[in-house]
Amino acid sequence: MSQLRSWVEVPDNSDYTIYNLPYGIFKTEGKKPRVGVAIGKKILDLHAVAKLGYFNKLSLPPKIFRKKYLNDFIALGKPVWSKVRQRITELLSESNTELRQCAHLVLKPQEEAILLLPVKVGDYTDFYSSIEHATNVGKMFRDPDNALLPNWKHIPVGYHGRASSVYISGTPIHRPKGQTLPPGADQPVFGPTKRLDFELEMAFIVGRETNPGQTIPIDKADDYIFGMVMFNDWSARDIQKWEYVPLGPFLGKNFASTASPWVVTMEALEPFKVNGPTQEPKVLPYLQFKGKKNYDINLEVSIHPLDGKDTVVCRTNFKYMYWNMAQQLAHHTVNGCNVKIGDMMASGTISGKEVGSYGSLLELTWSGKNPITLKDGNTRTFIEDNDVVYMRGSAKKGNIRIGFGEMCAKILPAL
């Protein structure tokens, strides 16, 4: 890729370079929600750009960018996504003067905008696709010598989550309540979770619908993915432990998930494709793929306690995932399950091989046995009230840098 520069000022190490151009939904005082693109510290108001006629040659539907969700734009299809992205790149390029004269009309400071959930999430599925994470959990709660269940290397294990409780970054989360079984007890008790945890994940957004009974072949899966966000699938470990047999997660997971506001397109992520781990034994034909399907995205998590200091507790990478997005989508639909535009498919906790790369406190503290010391001297086994959890993700290759920004949520006491 040739080197690109924008006439919009982009600070060094910004996630929102001209190579990125992620989509989001924002609103400013007195204005309705609309579609924007992040560039540096600004938001390019695509509705304003369209009103000035700069998308006229693309024959887009009227007011397509004055929407409260990206779903209608996504529904226009992959060829349109590509043409719009190409036009935005052209308009923002340093050598182009078309839009520069209207900068005051189309650029809004990010700090003055409220960012909203970028898509209307019809359904949300959470996978369990990190072999390191699954192995760690198996060692803790099952047989250390046979940590993975017999099906794990044959199917991308997943479960259906709760779309209504997927919240935008910055939305505070109240500590959930439920039944737990205290150590040594033979009867459950009710109350707030004592083992609240984060799960560092990425989620992809479905960009094309299917009909009931239709399957998505693995070699076509990429055509059905619009882009990605960071994702925190909060977990109440003690509630989950008591309830998950025989049907799996319920109240321990459905109370909240946090998504980042900017959707990074698969086109922007193309330079960061890498090979994933070798899959042994060989998977069934419908899960076999060609080419690079993993992505080299650096991720980190930090905890910021009330009146304390921000402490990074995890650094890992999305490239470690055993099951890739194409396999997840192919498996999700192989039985004829239909998908819709805006559906979110989360990766499951992303963990690496080293302790510092584990994507949950369950692993980082080994189920509470090894507390983490924060910069202010306090310790954590799990998340406490008034803690803020931050997640960040970025990718760099040569002169190309893109990122997902910063995602956060504060934990409030139970109601």
Side-chain angles (χ1 to χ4, degrees):
M1 182 183 292
S2 59
Q3 185 164 355
L4 298 175
R5 294 182 64 88
S6 175
W7 54 266
V8 179
E9 182 181 359
V10 178
D12 292 341
N13 295 320
S14 171
D15 283 350
Y16 309 126
T17 65
I18 195 170
Y19 297 104
N20 192 352
L21 305 179
Y23 292 97
I25 299 293
F26 76 104
K27 66 178 181 179
T28 52
E29 187 174 357
K31 298 286 187 179
K32 293 182 178 180
R34 51 208 188 276
V35 180
V37 161
I39 179 74
K41 293 183 177 181
K42 304 287 188 179
I43 298 174
L44 180 66
D45 183 340
L46 297 192
H47 178 61
V49 174
K51 282 180 66 177
L52 292 170
Y54 290 104
F55 291 133
N56 283 355
K57 292 183 179 179
L58 301 183
S59 300
L60 299 173
K63 300 182 180 179
I64 189 64
F65 296 122
R66 199 175 78 178
K67 303 284 184 176
K68 61 189 298 186
Y69 297 110
L70 287 169
N71 297 51
D72 287 350
F73 171 67
I74 295 173
L76 298 178
K78 193 172 182 178
V80 175
W81 313 338
S82 185
K83 289 177 182 177
V84 170
R85 175 179 163 80
Q86 183 178 357
R87 179 59 173 151
I88 295 170
T89 303
E90 183 180 83
L91 289 169
L92 292 177
S93 293
E94 188 176 45
S95 59
N96 191 296
T97 60
E98 291 179 81
L99 199 59
R100 197 181 307 198
Q101 60 188 346
C102 307
H104 63 293
L105 298 175
V106 298
L107 289 175
K108 312 296 179 184
Q110 287 196 36
E111 61 187 16
E112 295 179 8
I114 297 173
L115 299 177
L116 307 174
L117 195 66
V119 295
K120 184 173 178 59
V121 185
D123 280 296
Y124 151 54
T125 300
D126 191 40
F127 286 94
Y128 191 51
S129 294
S130 163
I131 193 169
E132 288 81 10
H133 174 66
T135 300
N136 288 337
V137 173
K139 285 180 177 178
M140 273 185 267
F141 299 114
R142 289 189 292 273
D143 180 359
D145 295 324
N146 296 282
L148 295 178
L149 290 170
N151 66 350
W152 200 91
K153 287 190 174 182
H154 294 277
I155 60 172
V157 174
Y159 74 94
H160 294 287
R162 183 73 182 176
S164 66
S165 55
V166 176
Y167 301 117
I168 190 64
S169 172
T171 305
I173 308 297
H174 284 278
R175 181 174 295 272
K177 296 176 287 189
Q179 289 190 26
T180 61
L181 187 68
D186 58 6
Q187 293 294 319
V189 297
F190 176 80
T193 178
K194 295 179 180 179
R195 294 165 71 89
L196 183 60
D197 200 359
F198 63 78
E199 288 192 351
L200 171 60
E201 306 192 20
M202 301 292 292
F204 69 84
I205 293 170
V206 174
R208 184 175 169 186
E209 296 193 357
T210 61
N211 296 316
Q214 181 183 348
T215 63
I216 298 177
I218 196 161
D219 60 346
K220 302 294 184 183
D222 291 349
D223 294 335
Y224 288 78
I225 301 175
F226 174 69
M228 298 183 69
V229 294
M230 287 190 298
F231 202 80
N232 182 353
D233 191 32
W234 298 93
S235 294
R237 300 295 185 184
D238 45 1
I239 296 174
Q240 183 179 356
K241 183 179 180 181
W242 172 238
E243 73 183 0
Y244 85 100
V245 177
L247 292 182
F250 188 35
L251 300 187
K253 301 286 286 186
N254 70 0
F255 61 95
S257 300
T258 302
S260 58
W262 295 108
V263 182
V264 177
T265 65
M266 303 316 297
E267 198 166 351
L269 287 165
E270 186 71 21
F272 306 101
K273 281 186 171 181
V274 293
N275 291 315
T278 301
Q279 295 183 336
E280 293 290 348
K282 191 174 182 179
V283 298
L284 292 176
Y286 79 95
L287 292 171
Q288 294 173 13
F289 63 94
K290 295 179 181 179
K292 298 176 180 179
K293 296 295 182 182
N294 282 38
Y295 291 84
D296 185 3
I297 303 171
N298 292 307
L299 301 165
E300 72 172 34
V301 183
S302 65
I303 298 173
H304 195 130
L306 186 67
D307 299 325
K309 297 180 179 179
D310 193 81
T311 302
V312 175
V313 297
C314 164
R315 287 189 176 93
T316 189
N317 195 294
F318 188 53
K319 67 184 179 183
Y320 299 135
M321 301 305 288
Y322 187 89
W323 295 103
N324 61 55
M325 292 181 285
Q327 291 177 312
Q328 291 166 351
L329 193 51
H331 183 67
H332 200 302
T333 61
V334 74
N335 67 341
C337 172
N338 60 313
V339 295
K340 295 185 176 182
I341 291 167
D343 286 358
M344 279 192 180
M345 311 282 182
S347 61
T349 303
I350 302 165
S351 293
K353 297 182 182 299
E354 307 299 326
V355 172
S357 66
Y358 296 165
S360 67
L361 284 175
L362 178 70
E363 298 165 89
L364 289 165
T365 69
W366 210 251
S367 194
K369 295 177 182 178
N370 305 313
I372 290 175
T373 301
L374 305 180
K375 285 183 179 179
D376 58 8
N378 288 314
T379 60
R380 289 290 184 275
T381 51
F382 291 95
I383 299 299
E384 297 186 5
D385 288 348
N386 297 308
D387 283 350
V388 181
V389 176
Y390 291 90
M391 294 184 177
R392 305 169 186 91
S394 63
K396 194 173 189 304
K397 184 177 181 180
N399 64 314
I400 304 172
R401 177 187 166 88
I402 68 170
F404 292 78
E406 185 176 78
M407 179 178 73
C408 70
K410 183 176 183 177
I411 297 300
L412 302 178
L415 291 173

